Amino acid sequence: MKFDLDAVFVEDGCANSALATRVLRALPHGVPVTHVDDAREVSRPEPGAPDPFGAGKRRLVIARRKTPFLMPCPAGSSKFACCGYLVLTLASNCPMDCSYCFLQEYLADNPAFQVYANYTDSFDELDKLTANAHGRSFRVGTGELADSLAFDSITAISRDLVEFFATRENLTLELKTKTDEIENLLDIDPRGRVLVSWSLSPDAVYRSSEHLTAAPAARIAAARALLDAGYRVAFHFDPLIAYAEAERDYLQLIDELFDVVPPKQISFVSMGGIRMTPRLRNAARSRFPDDRMLCGEDVLASDGRFRTFTPLRLSLYRALAERFRKAGAEIPAYLCMEPASVHEHVFGTVPARPATIGERLARG
Ligand code: SF4
């Protein structure tokens, strides 16, 4: 197991689930396991803990999800040129600890690392979605409120997911990760229906801000291995952080990526500048007071988030977009949580509708 756990809690009714059986079998000796009536009791912030959010990440809770698994991407908004992404919430929170992570705000009142024992019920929701939308294709991801593969070595959820999506013509699964936990995927044939994507940052950002994640070179090596195993791969340059040497470092990172994964084998790339609500910025700066990446030149934008000063942000987007264009193969690219006007500045075109982008990315 690559991440430390302080405790595991199993909600009543989940003890005999396949997930709980696998997790308890794989747990290292010495991690206490407690059975609880209601997972909500142990999912709240620990009273008196010096860092309740950080403590929550080390408490694994196996519970039943009582609300739907499938929802539109929570980052979506009519203000932004969105990508038509659908989110499947099979877990909540993440054992890694990036200083800029929006979960510090989003899950502040509910920080335990929860994994849902009834996750295969989500397959019925997906089948209903496609039955009601004849001929349409959807890109569905599990990496929004959790990393898709962190802890897969003990949950093995990815195997069931890949086997399900491999048999569904109109669905593409996106597993989004900052790990290199790919062992469970290597011997299953995804039949072209599974994309694995990595968020990539230069070494300076990785060292300063992406605690417990796999090094960028290890993420790229994992992408190569999965490409060879029949998976599609994609990369998110998000959050882009405009520190002093950023342009040089991001372009070097892209060169390192293209050396291992040729551009024509990349399904798409996305970019998104660092963005933080005031509450998130306060939480991040108080948990990571020495992280210089959290102290860039930012201004409060009209959507209520601090964003990098627009000329700096646009210049970085354009430099990367130019590098992708020069790569000799057309790599579909989109911006995350940016208005259409920024898209036009960067790519010189009006963005397509979210549903159209979603279908294009799903079909590959
Ligand atoms: S890997 Fe992703 S989900 Fe996990 S802490 Fe970092 S940004 Fe958050």
Side-chain angles (χ1 to χ4, degrees), residues 57 94-98 100-103 144 146-147 178 213:
K57 285 171 171 282
C94 170
M96 296 172 278
D97 208 3
C98 303
Y100 49 72
C101 181
F102 87 107
L103 298 179
E144 196 61 25
D147 182 282
K178 283 201 185 94
T213 64

